[in-house]
Coordinates of all heavy atoms in Angstrom, one line a residue:
M1 N -62.8 32.2 -35.5 CA -64.1 32.2 -36.2 C -64.1 31.1 -37.2 O -63.2 30.8 -37.9 CB -64.4 33.6 -36.9 CG -65.7 33.6 -37.7 SD -66.0 35.1 -38.6 CE -65.8 36.3 -37.3
L2 N -65.3 30.4 -37.3 CA -65.5 29.3 -38.3 C -66.5 29.8 -39.3 O -67.5 30.3 -39.0 CB -66.0 28.1 -37.5 CG -66.2 26.8 -38.4 CD1 -65.7 25.6 -37.7 CD2 -67.6 26.7 -38.9
S3 N -66.1 29.6 -40.6 CA -67.0 29.9 -41.7 C -67.5 28.6 -42.2 O -66.8 27.6 -42.5 CB -66.3 30.6 -42.8 OG -65.8 31.9 -42.4
H4 N -68.8 28.5 -42.3 CA -69.5 27.3 -42.8 C -70.3 27.7 -44.1 O -71.2 28.4 -44.0 CB -70.5 26.8 -41.7 CG -71.4 25.7 -42.0 ND1 -70.9 24.4 -42.1 CD2 -72.7 25.6 -42.2 CE1 -71.9 23.6 -42.4 NE2 -73.0 24.3 -42.4
I5 N -69.8 27.2 -45.2 CA -70.3 27.5 -46.5 C -71.0 26.3 -47.1 O -70.4 25.2 -47.2 CB -69.2 28.1 -47.4 CG1 -68.6 29.3 -46.8 CG2 -69.8 28.3 -48.8 CD1 -67.3 29.8 -47.5
V6 N -72.3 26.5 -47.5 CA -73.0 25.4 -48.0 C -73.6 25.8 -49.4 O -74.3 26.8 -49.5 CB -74.2 25.0 -47.1 CG1 -74.9 23.7 -47.6 CG2 -73.7 24.7 -45.7
L7 N -73.3 25.0 -50.4 CA -73.8 25.3 -51.7 C -74.8 24.2 -52.1 O -74.5 23.0 -52.0 CB -72.6 25.3 -52.7 CG -71.5 26.3 -52.4 CD1 -70.4 26.2 -53.4 CD2 -72.1 27.7 -52.4
F8 N -75.9 24.6 -52.6 CA -77.0 23.7 -53.0 C -77.3 23.8 -54.5 O -77.4 24.8 -55.1 CB -78.3 24.1 -52.3 CG -78.3 24.1 -50.8 CD1 -78.0 25.2 -50.1 CD2 -78.6 22.9 -50.1 CE1 -78.0 25.2 -48.7 CE2 -78.6 22.9 -48.7 CZ -78.3 24.0 -48.0
W9 N -77.4 22.6 -55.1 CA -77.9 22.5 -56.5 C -79.3 22.0 -56.3 O -79.6 20.8 -56.1 CB -77.0 21.5 -57.2 CG -75.7 22.0 -57.7 CD1 -75.4 22.4 -58.9 CD2 -74.5 22.2 -56.9 NE1 -74.1 22.9 -58.9 CE2 -73.5 22.7 -57.7 CE3 -74.2 21.9 -55.5 CZ2 -72.2 23.0 -57.2 CZ3 -72.9 22.2 -55.1 CH2 -72.0 22.8 -55.9
L10 N -80.3 22.9 -56.5 CA -81.7 22.5 -56.4 C -82.1 21.7 -57.6 O -81.7 21.9 -58.7 CB -82.5 23.8 -56.2 CG -82.2 24.6 -55.0 CD1 -83.1 25.9 -54.9 CD2 -82.4 23.8 -53.7
K11 N -83.1 20.8 -57.3 CA -83.7 20.0 -58.4 C -84.4 20.9 -59.4 O -85.1 21.9 -59.0 CB -84.6 19.0 -57.8 CG -83.9 17.9 -57.0 CD -84.9 16.9 -56.5 CE -84.2 15.9 -55.6 NZ -85.1 14.9 -55.0
P12 N -84.2 20.7 -60.7 CA -84.7 21.6 -61.7 C -86.3 21.6 -61.8 O -86.9 22.6 -62.3 CB -84.1 21.1 -63.0 CG -83.6 19.7 -62.8 CD -83.3 19.7 -61.3
E13 N -86.9 20.6 -61.3 CA -88.3 20.5 -61.3 C -89.0 21.3 -60.2 O -90.3 21.4 -60.2 CB -88.8 19.0 -61.3 CG -88.5 18.3 -60.0 CD -87.1 17.5 -60.1 OE1 -86.3 17.8 -60.9 OE2 -87.0 16.7 -59.2
L14 N -88.3 21.9 -59.3 CA -88.9 22.7 -58.3 C -89.6 23.9 -58.9 O -89.1 24.5 -59.8 CB -87.9 23.2 -57.3 CG -87.2 22.2 -56.4 CD1 -86.2 22.8 -55.4 CD2 -88.2 21.3 -55.6
T15 N -90.8 24.2 -58.4 CA -91.5 25.4 -58.8 C -90.9 26.6 -58.2 O -90.1 26.5 -57.2 CB -93.0 25.3 -58.4 OG1 -93.1 25.4 -57.0 CG2 -93.6 24.0 -59.0
E16 N -91.2 27.8 -58.7 CA -90.8 29.0 -58.1 C -91.2 29.2 -56.7 O -90.5 29.7 -55.8 CB -91.2 30.2 -59.0 CG -90.6 31.5 -58.6 CD -89.1 31.5 -58.6 OE1 -88.5 31.0 -59.6 OE2 -88.4 32.1 -57.7
T17 N -92.4 28.7 -56.4 CA -93.0 28.7 -55.0 C -92.1 27.8 -54.1 O -91.8 28.2 -53.0 CB -94.4 28.3 -55.0 OG1 -95.2 29.2 -55.8 CG2 -95.0 28.3 -53.6
E18 N -91.7 26.7 -54.6 CA -90.9 25.8 -53.8 C -89.5 26.4 -53.6 O -88.9 26.2 -52.5 CB -90.8 24.4 -54.5 CG -92.1 23.6 -54.4 CD -92.1 22.4 -55.3 OE1 -91.5 22.5 -56.4 OE2 -92.7 21.4 -54.9
V19 N -89.0 27.0 -54.6 CA -87.6 27.6 -54.4 C -87.7 28.8 -53.4 O -86.8 28.9 -52.6 CB -87.1 28.1 -55.8 CG1 -85.9 29.0 -55.6 CG2 -86.9 27.0 -56.7
Q20 N -88.8 29.6 -53.5 CA -89.0 30.6 -52.5 C -89.1 30.1 -51.1 O -88.5 30.6 -50.1 CB -90.2 31.5 -52.9 CG -90.4 32.7 -51.9 CD -89.3 33.6 -51.9 OE1 -88.6 33.9 -52.9 NE2 -89.0 34.2 -50.8
A21 N -89.8 29.0 -50.9 CA -90.0 28.4 -49.6 C -88.6 27.9 -49.1 O -88.3 28.0 -47.9 CB -91.0 27.2 -49.7
F22 N -87.8 27.3 -50.0 CA -86.5 26.9 -49.6 C -85.7 28.0 -49.1 O -85.0 28.0 -48.1 CB -85.8 26.2 -50.9 CG -84.5 25.7 -50.6 CD1 -84.3 24.4 -50.1 CD2 -83.3 26.4 -50.7 CE1 -83.1 23.8 -49.8 CE2 -82.1 25.9 -50.5 CZ -82.0 24.6 -50.0
R23 N -85.7 29.2 -49.8 CA -84.9 30.3 -49.4 C -85.4 30.8 -48.0 O -84.6 31.2 -47.2 CB -85.0 31.5 -50.4 CG -84.1 32.6 -50.0 CD -84.0 33.7 -51.1 NE -83.0 34.7 -50.6 CZ -81.9 35.0 -51.3 NH1 -81.6 34.5 -52.4 NH2 -81.2 35.9 -50.8
E24 N -86.7 30.8 -47.9 CA -87.3 31.2 -46.6 C -86.8 30.3 -45.5 O -86.6 30.7 -44.3 CB -88.8 31.3 -46.7 CG -89.3 32.5 -47.5 CD -90.8 32.4 -47.8 OE1 -91.5 31.5 -47.3 OE2 -91.2 33.3 -48.6
G25 N -86.7 29.0 -45.8 CA -86.2 28.0 -44.8 C -84.8 28.4 -44.4 O -84.4 28.3 -43.3
L26 N -84.0 28.8 -45.4 CA -82.6 29.2 -45.1 C -82.6 30.4 -44.2 O -81.8 30.5 -43.3 CB -81.8 29.5 -46.4 CG -81.4 28.3 -47.3 CD1 -80.8 28.8 -48.6 CD2 -80.5 27.3 -46.5
E27 N -83.5 31.4 -44.6 CA -83.6 32.6 -43.8 C -83.9 32.3 -42.3 O -83.4 33.0 -41.4 CB -84.6 33.6 -44.4 CG -84.3 34.2 -45.7 CD -83.2 35.3 -45.7 OE1 -82.9 35.8 -44.6 OE2 -82.7 35.6 -46.8
A28 N -84.7 31.3 -42.1 CA -85.1 30.9 -40.7 C -83.9 30.5 -39.9 O -83.9 30.5 -38.6 CB -86.2 29.9 -40.7
L29 N -82.9 30.0 -40.5 CA -81.7 29.6 -39.8 C -81.0 30.7 -39.1 O -80.2 30.5 -38.2 CB -80.7 28.8 -40.7 CG -81.3 27.6 -41.4 CD1 -80.3 27.0 -42.4 CD2 -81.7 26.5 -40.4
K30 N -81.3 31.9 -39.5 CA -80.7 33.1 -38.8 C -81.1 33.2 -37.4 O -80.5 33.9 -36.6 CB -81.1 34.4 -39.6 CG -80.5 34.5 -40.9 CD -81.0 35.8 -41.6 CE -80.3 36.0 -43.0 NZ -80.7 37.2 -43.7
T31 N -82.2 32.5 -37.0 CA -82.7 32.6 -35.6 C -81.9 31.7 -34.6 O -82.1 31.8 -33.4 CB -84.2 32.2 -35.6 OG1 -84.3 30.8 -35.9 CG2 -85.1 33.1 -36.5
I32 N -81.1 30.9 -35.2 CA -80.3 30.0 -34.3 C -79.3 30.8 -33.5 O -78.5 31.5 -34.1 CB -79.7 28.8 -35.1 CG1 -80.8 28.0 -35.8 CG2 -78.8 28.0 -34.2 CD1 -80.2 26.9 -36.7
P33 N -79.3 30.8 -32.2 CA -78.6 31.7 -31.4 C -77.0 31.6 -31.5 O -76.4 32.6 -31.3 CB -78.9 31.3 -29.9 CG -80.2 30.5 -30.0 CD -80.2 29.9 -31.4
T34 N -76.5 30.5 -31.9 CA -75.0 30.4 -32.0 C -74.5 31.0 -33.3 O -73.2 31.0 -33.4 CB -74.6 28.9 -31.9 OG1 -75.1 28.1 -32.9 CG2 -74.9 28.4 -30.5
T35 N -75.3 31.4 -34.2 CA -74.8 32.1 -35.4 C -74.3 33.5 -35.2 O -74.9 34.2 -34.4 CB -75.9 32.1 -36.5 OG1 -77.0 32.9 -36.1 CG2 -76.3 30.7 -36.9
R36 N -73.2 33.8 -35.8 CA -72.7 35.2 -35.6 C -73.1 36.0 -36.8 O -73.2 37.2 -36.7 CB -71.1 35.1 -35.5 CG -70.5 36.4 -35.3 CD -69.0 36.3 -35.1 NE -68.5 37.6 -34.9 CZ -67.2 37.8 -34.4 NH1 -66.5 36.7 -34.2 NH2 -66.8 39.0 -34.2
G37 N -73.3 35.4 -38.0 CA -73.7 36.0 -39.2 C -74.2 35.0 -40.2 O -73.6 33.9 -40.2
V38 N -75.2 35.3 -40.9 CA -75.7 34.4 -41.9 C -76.0 35.2 -43.2 O -76.7 36.2 -43.2 CB -77.1 33.7 -41.5 CG1 -77.6 32.8 -42.5 CG2 -76.9 33.0 -40.1
Y39 N -75.4 34.7 -44.3 CA -75.5 35.3 -45.6 C -76.0 34.3 -46.6 O -75.5 33.2 -46.7 CB -74.2 35.9 -46.0 CG -73.6 36.8 -44.9 CD1 -72.7 36.3 -44.0 CD2 -74.0 38.1 -44.8 CE1 -72.3 37.1 -42.9 CE2 -73.6 39.0 -43.8 CZ -72.7 38.4 -42.9 OH -72.2 39.2 -41.8
I40 N -77.0 34.7 -47.4 CA -77.7 33.8 -48.4 C -77.7 34.5 -49.7 O -78.0 35.7 -49.8 CB -79.1 33.5 -47.9 CG1 -79.1 32.8 -46.5 CG2 -79.8 32.6 -48.9 CD1 -80.4 32.9 -45.8
G41 N -77.4 33.7 -50.8 CA -77.4 34.3 -52.1 C -77.3 33.3 -53.2 O -77.0 32.1 -53.0
T42 N -77.5 33.8 -54.4 CA -77.3 33.0 -55.6 C -76.0 33.5 -56.3 O -75.4 34.5 -55.9 CB -78.5 33.3 -56.6 OG1 -78.6 34.7 -56.8 CG2 -79.8 32.8 -56.0
P43 N -75.5 32.7 -57.3 CA -74.2 33.0 -57.9 C -74.2 34.5 -58.4 O -75.2 35.0 -59.0 CB -74.1 32.1 -59.1 CG -74.9 30.9 -58.6 CD -76.1 31.5 -57.8
A44 N -73.1 35.2 -58.1 CA -73.0 36.6 -58.5 C -72.7 36.7 -60.0 O -72.0 35.8 -60.5 CB -71.9 37.2 -57.7
P45 N -73.1 37.7 -60.6 CA -72.8 37.9 -62.0 C -71.5 38.5 -62.3 O -71.3 39.4 -63.1 CB -74.0 38.8 -62.5 CG -74.2 39.7 -61.3 CD -74.0 38.8 -60.1
T46 N -70.5 37.9 -61.7 CA -69.1 38.3 -62.0 C -68.6 37.8 -63.3 O -69.2 36.9 -63.8 CB -68.1 37.9 -60.8 OG1 -68.3 36.5 -60.7 CG2 -68.5 38.5 -59.5
A47 N -67.6 38.4 -63.8 CA -67.0 38.0 -65.1 C -66.6 36.5 -65.0 O -66.0 36.1 -64.0 CB -65.8 38.8 -65.5
P48 N -66.9 35.7 -66.0 CA -66.5 34.3 -66.0 C -65.0 34.1 -66.0 O -64.3 34.8 -66.7 CB -67.1 33.7 -67.3 CG -68.1 34.7 -67.8 CD -67.7 36.0 -67.2
R49 N -64.6 33.2 -65.2 CA -63.2 32.8 -65.1 C -63.1 31.3 -64.8 O -64.1 30.7 -64.2 CB -62.5 33.5 -64.0 CG -62.4 35.0 -64.1 CD -61.5 35.7 -63.1 NE -61.6 35.1 -61.8 CZ -61.9 35.8 -60.7 NH1 -62.3 37.0 -60.7 NH2 -61.9 35.1 -59.5
P50 N -62.1 30.6 -65.3 CA -62.0 29.1 -65.1 C -62.1 28.7 -63.6 O -62.6 27.6 -63.4 CB -60.7 28.8 -65.7 CG -60.3 29.9 -66.6 CD -61.0 31.1 -66.0
V51 N -61.8 29.5 -62.7 CA -61.8 29.1 -61.3 C -63.1 29.4 -60.6 O -63.2 29.1 -59.4 CB -60.6 29.8 -60.5 CG1 -59.3 29.4 -61.1 CG2 -60.8 31.3 -60.6
I52 N -64.1 30.0 -61.3 CA -65.4 30.3 -60.6 C -66.4 29.3 -61.0 O -66.6 29.0 -62.2 CB -65.8 31.7 -61.0 CG1 -64.8 32.7 -60.5 CG2 -67.2 32.0 -60.5 CD1 -65.2 34.2 -60.9
D53 N -67.1 28.7 -60.1 CA -68.1 27.7 -60.3 C -69.5 28.4 -60.0 O -69.7 28.8 -58.9 CB -68.0 26.5 -59.4 CG -69.1 25.5 -59.5 OD1 -70.0 25.7 -60.4 OD2 -69.0 24.5 -58.8
T54 N -70.3 28.6 -61.0 CA -71.6 29.2 -60.8 C -72.7 28.2 -61.1 O -73.8 28.6 -61.4 CB -71.8 30.5 -61.7 OG1 -71.6 30.1 -63.1 CG2 -70.8 31.6 -61.4
S55 N -72.4 27.0 -61.0 CA -73.4 25.9 -61.4 C -74.4 25.7 -60.2 O -75.4 25.0 -60.5 CB -72.7 24.6 -61.8 OG -72.0 24.1 -60.7
Y56 N -74.1 26.1 -59.0 CA -75.0 25.9 -57.9 C -76.2 26.9 -58.0 O -76.2 27.9 -58.7 CB -74.3 26.0 -56.6 CG -73.7 27.4 -56.3 CD1 -74.5 28.3 -55.6 CD2 -72.5 27.8 -56.8 CE1 -74.0 29.6 -55.3 CE2 -72.0 29.1 -56.6 CZ -72.8 30.0 -55.9 OH -72.3 31.2 -55.6
S57 N -77.3 26.5 -57.3 CA -78.5 27.3 -57.3 C -78.5 28.4 -56.2 O -78.9 29.5 -56.5 CB -79.7 26.4 -57.1 OG -79.7 25.3 -57.9
I58 N -78.1 28.1 -55.0 CA -78.2 29.0 -53.9 C -77.1 28.6 -52.9 O -76.8 27.4 -52.8 CB -79.6 29.0 -53.3 CG1 -79.7 30.2 -52.3 CG2 -80.0 27.7 -52.7 CD1 -81.2 30.5 -52.0
G59 N -76.6 29.5 -52.2 CA -75.6 29.2 -51.2 C -75.9 30.0 -49.9 O -76.6 31.0 -49.9
I60 N -75.3 29.4 -48.8 CA -75.4 30.1 -47.5 C -74.1 30.0 -46.8 O -73.4 29.0 -46.9 CB -76.5 29.4 -46.6 CG1 -76.7 30.1 -45.3 CG2 -76.3 27.9 -46.4 CD1 -77.9 29.7 -44.4
T61 N -73.7 31.1 -46.2 CA -72.5 31.2 -45.4 C -73.0 31.5 -44.0 O -73.7 32.5 -43.8 CB -71.5 32.3 -45.9 OG1 -71.1 32.0 -47.2 CG2 -70.3 32.4 -44.9
V62 N -72.5 30.7 -43.0 CA -72.9 30.9 -41.6 C -71.6 31.1 -40.9 O -70.7 30.2 -41.0 CB -73.7 29.7 -41.0 CG1 -74.2 30.0 -39.6 CG2 -74.9 29.4 -41.9
L63 N -71.5 32.1 -40.1 CA -70.3 32.4 -39.3 C -70.5 32.0 -37.8 O -71.6 32.3 -37.3 CB -69.9 33.8 -39.4 CG -69.6 34.4 -40.8 CD1 -69.3 35.9 -40.7 CD2 -68.5 33.6 -41.5
F64 N -69.5 31.4 -37.2 CA -69.6 31.0 -35.8 C -68.4 31.4 -35.1 O -67.3 31.5 -35.7 CB -69.7 29.4 -35.7 CG -70.9 28.8 -36.4 CD1 -70.7 28.3 -37.6 CD2 -72.1 28.8 -35.8 CE1 -71.8 27.7 -38.3 CE2 -73.2 28.2 -36.5 CZ -73.0 27.7 -37.7
D65 N -68.5 31.6 -33.8 CA -67.3 32.0 -33.0 C -66.4 30.8 -32.7 O -65.3 31.0 -32.4 CB -67.8 32.6 -31.6 CG -68.3 34.0 -31.8 OD1 -67.8 34.7 -32.7 OD2 -69.2 34.4 -31.1
S66 N -67.0 29.6 -32.7 CA -66.3 28.4 -32.4 C -66.8 27.1 -33.0 O -68.0 27.2 -33.5 CB -66.3 28.2 -30.8 OG -67.6 27.9 -30.4
I67 N -66.1 26.1 -33.0 CA -66.6 24.8 -33.4 C -67.7 24.3 -32.6 O -68.7 23.8 -33.0 CB -65.5 23.7 -33.5 CG1 -64.5 24.1 -34.6 CG2 -66.0 22.3 -33.7 CD1 -63.3 23.2 -34.8
A68 N -67.7 24.6 -31.3 CA -68.8 24.3 -30.4 C -70.1 24.9 -30.8 O -71.1 24.3 -30.8 CB -68.4 24.6 -28.9
D69 N -70.0 26.2 -31.2 CA -71.2 26.9 -31.7 C -71.7 26.3 -33.0 O -72.9 26.1 -33.2 CB -70.9 28.4 -31.9 CG -70.7 29.2 -30.6 OD1 -71.1 28.7 -29.6 OD2 -70.3 30.3 -30.7
H70 N -70.8 25.9 -33.9 CA -71.2 25.2 -35.1 C -71.9 23.9 -34.7 O -72.9 23.5 -35.3 CB -70.0 24.9 -35.9 CG -70.2 23.9 -37.0 ND1 -70.0 22.5 -36.8 CD2 -70.6 24.0 -38.3 CE1 -70.3 21.9 -37.9 NE2 -70.6 22.8 -38.8
D71 N -71.3 23.1 -33.8 CA -71.9 21.8 -33.4 C -73.3 22.0 -32.8 O -74.2 21.2 -33.1 CB -71.0 21.1 -32.5 CG -69.6 20.7 -33.1 OD1 -69.5 20.8 -34.4 OD2 -68.7 20.3 -32.4
A72 N -73.5 23.1 -32.0 CA -74.8 23.3 -31.5 C -75.8 23.7 -32.6 O -77.0 23.3 -32.5 CB -74.7 24.5 -30.4
Y73 N -75.4 24.4 -33.6 CA -76.2 24.8 -34.7 C -76.7 23.5 -35.5 O -77.8 23.4 -35.9 CB -75.4 25.7 -35.6 CG -75.9 25.9 -37.0 CD1 -76.8 27.0 -37.3 CD2 -75.5 25.1 -38.1 CE1 -77.2 27.2 -38.5 CE2 -76.0 25.3 -39.4 CZ -76.9 26.4 -39.6 OH -77.3 26.6 -40.9
Q74 N -75.8 22.6 -35.6 CA -76.1 21.3 -36.4 C -77.2 20.6 -35.7 O -78.0 20.0 -36.5 CB -74.8 20.4 -36.5 CG -73.8 21.0 -37.4 CD -74.2 21.1 -38.8 OE1 -75.0 20.3 -39.3 NE2 -73.7 22.2 -39.5
V75 N -77.4 20.6 -34.4 CA -78.4 19.8 -33.8 C -79.6 20.6 -33.3 O -80.6 20.1 -32.8 CB -77.8 19.0 -32.5 CG1 -76.8 18.0 -33.0 CG2 -77.2 20.0 -31.5
H76 N -79.5 21.9 -33.6 CA -80.6 22.8 -33.2 C -81.9 22.4 -33.9 O -81.9 22.1 -35.1 CB -80.2 24.3 -33.5 CG -81.2 25.3 -33.0 ND1 -82.4 25.6 -33.6 CD2 -81.1 26.0 -31.8 CE1 -83.0 26.5 -32.8 NE2 -82.3 26.8 -31.8
P77 N -83.0 22.5 -33.3 CA -84.3 22.1 -33.9 C -84.6 22.9 -35.2 O -85.2 22.3 -36.1 CB -85.4 22.4 -32.8 CG -84.6 22.3 -31.5 CD -83.2 22.8 -31.8
A78 N -84.2 24.1 -35.3 CA -84.5 24.9 -36.6 C -83.7 24.3 -37.7 O -84.2 24.2 -38.8 CB -84.2 26.4 -36.4
H79 N -82.4 23.9 -37.5 CA -81.6 23.3 -38.5 C -82.1 21.9 -38.9 O -82.2 21.6 -40.0 CB -80.1 23.3 -38.1 CG -79.2 22.8 -39.1 ND1 -78.7 21.5 -39.1 CD2 -78.7 23.3 -40.2 CE1 -77.9 21.3 -40.1 NE2 -77.9 22.4 -40.9
Q80 N -82.4 21.1 -37.8 CA -82.9 19.8 -38.1 C -84.2 19.8 -38.9 O -84.5 19.0 -39.7 CB -83.1 19.0 -36.8 CG -81.7 18.6 -36.2 CD -80.9 17.7 -37.0 OE1 -81.4 16.7 -37.5 NE2 -79.7 18.1 -37.3
G81 N -85.1 20.8 -38.5 CA -86.4 21.0 -39.2 C -86.2 21.4 -40.7 O -86.9 20.9 -41.6
F82 N -85.2 22.2 -40.9 CA -84.8 22.6 -42.3 C -84.4 21.4 -43.1 O -84.9 21.2 -44.2 CB -83.7 23.7 -42.3 CG -83.2 23.9 -43.7 CD1 -83.9 24.8 -44.6 CD2 -82.1 23.3 -44.2 CE1 -83.4 25.0 -45.8 CE2 -81.6 23.5 -45.5 CZ -82.3 24.4 -46.3
L83 N -83.6 20.6 -42.5 CA -83.1 19.4 -43.2 C -84.2 18.4 -43.5 O -84.3 17.9 -44.6 CB -82.0 18.7 -42.4 CG -80.7 19.4 -42.2 CD1 -79.8 18.7 -41.3 CD2 -80.0 19.7 -43.6
K84 N -85.1 18.3 -42.6 CA -86.2 17.3 -42.7 C -87.2 17.8 -43.8 O -87.7 17.1 -44.7 CB -87.0 17.1 -41.4 CG -88.1 16.1 -41.5 CD -88.7 15.9 -40.1 CE -89.8 14.9 -40.2 NZ -90.4 14.6 -38.9
R85 N -87.5 19.2 -43.8 CA -88.5 19.7 -44.7 C -87.9 19.9 -46.1 O -88.7 19.6 -47.1 CB -89.0 21.1 -44.2 CG -90.0 21.7 -45.1 CD -90.6 22.9 -44.6 NE -91.5 23.5 -45.6 CZ -91.9 24.7 -45.6 NH1 -91.5 25.6 -44.7 NH2 -92.7 25.2 -46.6
F86 N -86.7 20.2 -46.2 CA -86.1 20.6 -47.6 C -85.1 19.6 -48.1 O -84.6 19.9 -49.2 CB -85.6 22.0 -47.5 CG -86.6 23.1 -47.2 CD1 -86.7 23.7 -46.0 CD2 -87.5 23.4 -48.2 CE1 -87.6 24.6 -45.7 CE2 -88.5 24.4 -47.9 CZ -88.6 25.0 -46.7
G87 N -84.8 18.6 -47.4 CA -83.7 17.7 -47.8 C -83.9 17.0 -49.1 O -83.0 16.6 -49.8
N88 N -85.2 17.0 -49.6 CA -85.5 16.4 -50.9 C -85.4 17.4 -52.0 O -85.8 17.0 -53.2 CB -86.8 15.7 -50.8 CG -88.0 16.6 -50.6 OD1 -87.8 17.8 -50.1 ND2 -89.2 16.2 -50.9
C89 N -85.1 18.6 -51.7 CA -85.1 19.7 -52.8 C -83.8 19.8 -53.6 O -83.8 20.4 -54.6 CB -85.4 21.1 -52.1 SG -87.1 21.2 -51.5
W90 N -82.7 19.2 -53.1 CA -81.5 19.4 -53.8 C -81.0 18.1 -54.4 O -81.3 17.0 -53.8 CB -80.4 20.0 -52.9 CG -80.0 19.3 -51.7 CD1 -79.2 18.2 -51.6 CD2 -80.4 19.6 -50.4 NE1 -79.0 17.8 -50.3 CE2 -79.8 18.7 -49.5 CE3 -81.2 20.6 -49.8 CZ2 -79.9 18.7 -48.1 CZ3 -81.4 20.6 -48.4 CH2 -80.7 19.6 -47.6
S91 N -80.3 18.2 -55.5 CA -79.7 17.0 -56.1 C -78.2 16.9 -55.7 O -77.6 15.8 -55.8 CB -79.8 17.1 -57.6 OG -79.1 18.3 -58.1
K92 N -77.7 18.0 -55.2 CA -76.3 18.0 -54.7 C -76.1 19.1 -53.7 O -76.7 20.1 -53.8 CB -75.4 18.2 -55.9 CG -73.9 18.3 -55.6 CD -73.1 18.6 -56.9 CE -71.6 18.8 -56.6 NZ -70.9 19.1 -57.9
V93 N -75.2 18.8 -52.7 CA -74.8 19.8 -51.8 C -73.4 19.7 -51.5 O -72.9 18.5 -51.4 CB -75.7 19.7 -50.5 CG1 -75.5 18.4 -49.8 CG2 -75.5 20.9 -49.5
L94 N -72.7 20.8 -51.3 CA -71.3 20.8 -50.9 C -71.1 21.7 -49.8 O -71.7 22.8 -49.7 CB -70.3 21.2 -52.1 CG -70.1 20.2 -53.2 CD1 -69.2 20.9 -54.3 CD2 -69.4 19.0 -52.7
I95 N -70.3 21.3 -48.8 CA -70.0 22.1 -47.6 C -68.5 22.3 -47.5 O -67.7 21.4 -47.6 CB -70.6 21.4 -46.4 CG1 -72.1 21.2 -46.5 CG2 -70.2 22.2 -45.1 CD1 -72.7 20.4 -45.4
Y96 N -68.2 23.6 -47.2 CA -66.8 24.0 -47.0 C -66.8 24.7 -45.6 O -67.5 25.7 -45.4 CB -66.3 24.9 -48.0 CG -66.3 24.4 -49.4 CD1 -67.4 24.6 -50.3 CD2 -65.2 23.6 -49.9 CE1 -67.4 24.0 -51.5 CE2 -65.2 23.0 -51.1 CZ -66.3 23.3 -52.0 OH -66.3 22.7 -53.2
D97 N -66.0 24.1 -44.7 CA -65.8 24.7 -43.3 C -64.3 25.1 -43.2 O -63.5 24.3 -43.5 CB -66.1 23.7 -42.2 CG -67.6 23.3 -42.2 OD1 -68.5 24.2 -42.5 OD2 -67.9 22.2 -41.7
F98 N -64.1 26.3 -42.8 CA -62.7 26.7 -42.5 C -62.6 27.7 -41.4 O -63.6 28.4 -41.1 CB -62.1 27.2 -43.8 CG -62.7 28.5 -44.4 CD1 -62.2 29.8 -44.0 CD2 -63.7 28.4 -45.3 CE1 -62.8 30.9 -44.6 CE2 -64.3 29.6 -45.9 CZ -63.8 30.8 -45.5
M99 N -61.4 27.8 -40.8 CA -61.2 28.7 -39.7 C -60.0 29.6 -40.1 O -59.1 29.2 -40.9 CB -60.8 27.9 -38.5 CG -62.0 27.1 -38.0 SD -61.6 26.2 -36.5 CE -61.9 27.5 -35.3

C-alpha cells in the first residue's frame, strides 16, 4: 500500500467561501477509481509538542494499492482539474509518499 500525504498552506487572503470550495475540490478526488481511501482534515487539536507541525491549513491522505494506481491518479482528469482550478490557492504544499 502507498500512502500519499499532501499538506497545503492556503493563502491567508482566501475567503471562507473559497476555502470551502477548496475542501469540496479535495472531496471530489474521492471519485478517482484508483484510490483505496481518502481522508481530509485540518490540524488536530492535540497537545503541542516540538515534533508536531500544525502550521498547515488542510491536509489530505490518499491510499493506493500500488504505485501504478498512484500514477493513474496523478493524471486522472479529476486530479488535473483540481490542480488547474485550485493551484493558485496555496502558498506552500508538501507531499510525503511512503510504502
